[in-house]
Amino acid sequence: MKLNTNSNAYIIIYSTILVLIVAFLLAFVSQTLKPMQDKNVELDRQKQILYSLNLADTVKGASDEQVIALYQAVVAPETDSLGIYTATVKGDTIYVLPLKGQGMWGGISCFLAVKSDRNTIYGAYFNHESETAGLGAEIKDNAQWQAKFQGKQIFIGDSLALSVEKNVNNETTVDAVTGATVTSTAVSKMLQDQLQKKYMDFLKKEE
């Protein structure tokens, strides 16, 4: 019996088998690559935390093994119930707070490093998913802008005051990224919302 390759039944069966084969191959490749992907995600997280601790010059150019060794030497292996990391840099205790928010086109995030007084910012590293290159993306790409957070105060008295504002630069405020008003406003909102809603008890806790 000759197979009718033009029949509807043949086309349906052929298409179904082809889809199953492709799906199996994709699942196999995904599963095979997952450990490597997870390792890269973890390494990227460690680098971002080290950047927030002002160790970018040490991290850049270092091998993956060197980055991991540095991270393990500086950052404690466990976080607290809020996901806060405790690091020791030059003998000083630094707390690293993970923050998440919504930018102009997608998610934004930050690792905010705070000194042991729980008020003075030691460093900050910002990231984004899809902000505009050369504008909003500068929150990640512009190390000089991120460095402006160093030494800023989170509170004035008991009031949360840390913010990002256009043409303002004082002890609690960082000047906005030029040409990226929406993203800068989103960063300011993320800082204030996350610090207020998630970390206020921690920041106000007395040693």
Side-chain angles (χ1 to χ4, degrees):
M1 181 178 175
K2 186 178 179 180
L3 186 63
N4 183 4
T5 57
N6 293 319
S7 67
N8 291 335
Y10 174 85
I11 294 173
I12 292 172
I13 294 172
Y14 179 83
S15 300
T16 301
I17 293 174
L18 186 61
V19 168
L20 290 174
I21 291 173
V22 171
F24 172 79
L25 290 174
L26 289 174
F28 175 77
V29 171
S30 176
Q31 192 64 28
T32 302
L33 295 178
K34 190 175 186 304
M36 185 183 299
Q37 292 170 339
D38 291 344
K39 181 180 178 181
N40 289 337
V41 169
E42 174 63 13
L43 181 63
D44 183 60
R45 179 188 66 84
Q46 293 180 0
K47 286 181 178 180
Q48 291 186 43
I49 291 172
L50 292 173
Y51 289 154
S52 77
L53 294 169
N54 304 324
L55 295 171
D57 289 342
T58 305
V59 172
K60 292 176 180 177
S63 67
D64 292 351
E65 291 74 16
Q66 290 172 326
V67 171
I68 294 170
L70 176 61
Y71 180 86
Q72 292 175 343
V74 171
V75 183
E78 302 293 336
T79 62
D80 69 1
S81 60
L82 295 173
I84 297 173
Y85 301 85
T86 301
T88 304
V89 181
K90 299 178 181 178
D92 295 328
T93 298
I94 309 294
Y95 301 109
V96 182
L97 285 56
L99 312 175
K100 290 186 178 181
Q102 181 64 33
M104 184 173 183
W105 303 112
I108 57 176
S109 60
C110 171
F111 284 109
L112 189 70
V114 181
K115 291 185 178 181
S116 57
D117 65 0
R118 306 193 186 204
N119 185 40
T120 305
I121 295 177
Y122 184 79
Y125 181 80
F126 292 87
N127 204 350
H128 68 90
E129 294 177 2
S130 53
E131 298 306 286
T132 306
L135 297 174
E138 288 293 286
I139 65 171
K140 174 185 177 182
D141 300 335
N142 191 334
Q144 292 182 337
W145 183 77
Q146 295 186 7
K148 292 179 180 180
F149 283 84
Q150 297 174 22
K152 297 295 182 179
Q153 303 294 296
I154 298 175
F155 299 98
I156 294 180
D158 291 329
S159 300
L160 180 62
L162 181 65
S163 64
V164 176
E165 299 179 30
K166 188 175 181 179
N167 299 323
V168 179
N169 185 17
N170 55 41
E171 64 177 352
T172 62
T173 306
V174 174
D175 190 15
V177 176
T178 303
T181 302
V182 175
T183 301
S184 297
T185 300
V187 168
S188 190
K189 185 177 188 303
M190 173 181 68
L191 291 169
Q192 295 188 359
D193 286 354
Q194 291 272 280
L195 294 175
Q196 179 71 49
K197 297 175 182 178
K198 188 174 181 181
Y199 298 115
M200 184 60 72
D201 289 343
F202 170 81
L203 293 170
K204 285 299 185 179
K205 181 180 179 181
E206 295 184 1
E207 291 287 347

